[in-house]
Amino acid sequence: MDKLLINGGRRLEGSLRVSGAKNAALPILAATLLTGETVTVANAPHLNDVTTMVKLLGRLGADVAVGESPQVTVTAADLRSLKAPYELVKTMRASFLVMGPLLARFGEAEVSLPGGCAIGARPVDLHLKGFAALGADIQVADGYVQAKAPRGLKGARIKLDLATVGGTENLMMAATLAEGETIIDGAAREPEIVDLGNCLNAMGARVSGHGTARLRIVGVPALHGAKHAVMADRVEAGTYLIAAAATRGRVRLRDIDPGALSAVLERLQAAGAEIEAGADWIALNMPGRPGAVDIETRPYPGFPTDMQAQFMAMNAVAEGSCRITETIFENRFMHAQEINRLGADIRLLGPSQALVNGVESLKAARVMATDLRASFSLVVAGLVAEGETLIDRIYHIDRGYEMIEEKLSALGADVQRVS
């Protein structure tokens, strides 16, 4: 099993291009099932999660080609199966996003209940309630969700009790082929949902309001092929900015919309970072030791839960003390104990709050990744720690971060993958 070996103590300095967003690419790849014509997804990152989705599309019978640019071309003309099996869905909960497109286009779908990171319950009940509101018959048996709508889906008004990103995406895709108008209130507002809506509209859908709490989708008889470029990965961009701040470095990121990172940039500035930004770039300089800043995760446009762990690692070596409050998931502090192995002073005040007392420096140790984003918090900690830090189980990192060794090395880090 691969591990990451980091010789810490070096400032990150240099320039990077931000990869395509995993959290946008996955629902967009699922959306290719809505048409039998060819859909080309450009700027798709080379990640394990994207590979899993490509395998799933292929298992269903779609013709999938992965190109160089990076680019994925999907033609789902003649599917041989409407069942998403457990062995693929268990590794990545985003696989559940094929439910909406299959149900909308073919009138039935059978999808395993999802797996993914162990960071809380994250149930799919809101997806299922929404499908039922659209007229589907839903049954759960033997670990699979079986959905049928032999006469097609019908537009409806759906009120989401929680701003679920996956639920919003699944229901938005399903509604594109439903008869009549669908209104989704309480929709999630993340930029990745905006990107999905833009892709669906390029395919001939009639989606409006994406990026707001109310979505309006007017169903159409069929969608057609299209080409769409996936947005830049705001989580990757924020992660490298945080890593640079923790190492008192200076970086410039290209091909990223600063507007998608407003909450993160504000907290970095509060920590003492000097930030400049243009239409498609962000530059950060941390002239000295960061200052500790409080963090409270919130749905977009609040501070993202996917950057909580990385910020905790930076706060671990910051001047002062701060509190980190997690409001999205109930089990997302598993990284705290691992960062403490490096000499940090992080105390859990309960399942949703941690107190971080900044220390002058960290010392290298062997640590273990526990989930995708937490794994990069250990990278951040390892970059500032004195000595060689060995991070085990980095397959978590490979699910969401493209070419991590190459990108960190380009910024001057001493990082290598070892067996």
Side-chain angles (χ1 to χ4, degrees):
M1 186 177 295
D2 284 357
K3 304 172 181 62
L4 206 63
L5 184 64
I6 303 174
N7 188 7
R10 300 189 179 194
R11 299 179 65 202
L12 295 189
E13 295 186 88
S15 176
L16 282 183
R17 178 189 174 274
V18 179
S19 299
K22 174 186 86 92
N23 289 343
L26 296 177
I28 287 170
L29 286 170
T32 64
L33 296 172
L34 287 164
T35 178
E37 298 184 14
T38 299
V39 179
T40 299
V41 181
N43 201 36
H46 288 156
L47 299 169
N48 286 355
D49 275 10
V50 173
T51 299
T52 298
M53 182 63 82
V54 166
K55 287 180 180 177
L56 177 55
L57 296 177
R59 179 72 68 89
L60 296 171
D63 183 8
V64 186
V66 179
E68 292 270 335
S69 23
Q71 180 172 287
V72 181
T73 301
V74 183
T75 307
D78 299 305
L79 298 190
R80 58 178 173 266
S81 174
L82 300 178
K83 181 176 181 177
Y86 170 74
E87 61 264 26
L88 287 176
V89 180
K90 71 176 181 180
T91 64
M92 183 187 71
R93 68 179 296 107
S95 304
F96 197 73
L97 293 175
V98 302
M99 172 68 82
L102 290 176
L103 180 60
R105 184 174 163 208
F106 299 100
E108 62 178 289
E110 186 175 0
V111 180
S112 170
L113 289 168
C117 290
I119 54 174
R122 301 202 290 180
V124 296
D125 60 309
L126 295 179
H127 302 232
L128 305 187
K129 289 178 182 178
F131 292 140
L134 293 171
D137 176 60
I138 306 293
Q139 301 292 330
V140 179
D142 303 321
Y144 280 81
V145 177
Q146 301 166 344
K148 293 185 178 180
R151 297 183 181 179
L153 298 176
K154 308 293 183 183
R157 286 186 171 268
I158 300 171
K159 175 69 172 71
L160 295 175
D161 298 327
L162 179 70
T164 161
V165 174
T168 299
E169 292 167 341
N170 230 343
L171 296 174
M172 179 165 59
M173 289 187 284
T176 61
L177 297 180
E179 180 183 337
E181 179 183 84
T182 297
I183 301 292
I184 303 176
D185 280 316
R189 301 163 55 190
E190 272 70 5
E192 293 79 10
I193 290 174
V194 176
D195 205 31
L196 174 61
N198 291 341
C199 178
L200 291 170
N201 286 342
M203 296 168 63
R206 296 177 61 188
V207 178
S208 59
H210 39 310
T212 74
R214 167 171 282 197
L215 289 175
R216 179 175 180 265
I217 305 105
V218 178
V220 297
L223 298 185
H224 54 69
K227 182 172 183 178
H228 180 80
V230 174
M231 65 175 282
D233 195 327
R234 64 191 175 102
V235 178
E236 181 192 74
T239 297
Y240 281 105
L241 291 173
I242 295 167
T247 64
R248 309 184 193 186
R250 181 195 300 264
V251 297
R252 182 184 177 97
L253 304 183
R254 309 186 306 277
D255 297 341
I256 178 66
D257 175 13
L261 281 166
S262 296
V264 175
L265 297 181
E266 186 276 326
R267 291 287 78 193
L268 283 169
Q269 287 177 311
E274 300 169 351
I275 293 176
E276 297 180 74
D280 60 353
W281 60 271
I282 302 171
L284 174 143
N285 177 46
M286 180 61 83
R289 185 181 176 188
V293 289
D294 293 337
I295 295 296
E296 181 173 331
T297 64
R298 290 289 178 187
Y300 188 84
F303 190 92
T305 181
D306 278 352
M307 284 182 243
Q308 173 258 108
Q310 300 91 309
F311 227 96
M312 180 182 286
M314 187 195 78
N315 274 326
V317 293
E319 184 175 358
S321 300
C322 66
R323 291 184 183 235
I324 296 181
T325 305
E326 173 61 57
T327 71
I328 309 298
F329 298 123
E330 74 277 11
N331 189 27
R332 213 167 196 186
F333 284 149
M334 292 185 291
H335 49 279
Q337 180 178 348
E338 296 300 303
I339 300 175
N340 279 344
R341 286 175 55 82
L342 298 170
D345 183 2
I346 303 170
R347 304 174 190 179
L348 299 186
L349 304 179
S352 62
Q353 194 168 77
L355 174 66
V356 184
N357 298 308
V359 297
E360 289 279 350
S361 62
L362 300 178
K363 300 288 186 181
R366 183 167 184 166
V367 293
M368 181 176 66
T370 53
D371 68 65
L372 198 167
R373 305 306 174 185
S375 63
F376 213 110
S377 73
L378 303 182
V379 174
V380 174
L383 288 169
V384 300
E386 299 174 7
E388 290 189 341
T389 296
L390 187 67
I391 304 175
D392 207 347
R393 296 174 63 183
I394 64 166
Y395 60 83
H396 288 294
I397 297 179
D398 293 333
R399 287 185 50 217
Y401 291 96
E402 186 177 49
M403 301 186 303
I404 179 173
E405 307 101 292
E406 292 89 339
K407 290 194 171 187
L408 285 172
S409 295
L411 296 177
D414 185 351
V415 178
Q416 58 180 309
R417 186 179 293 254
V418 297
S419 298

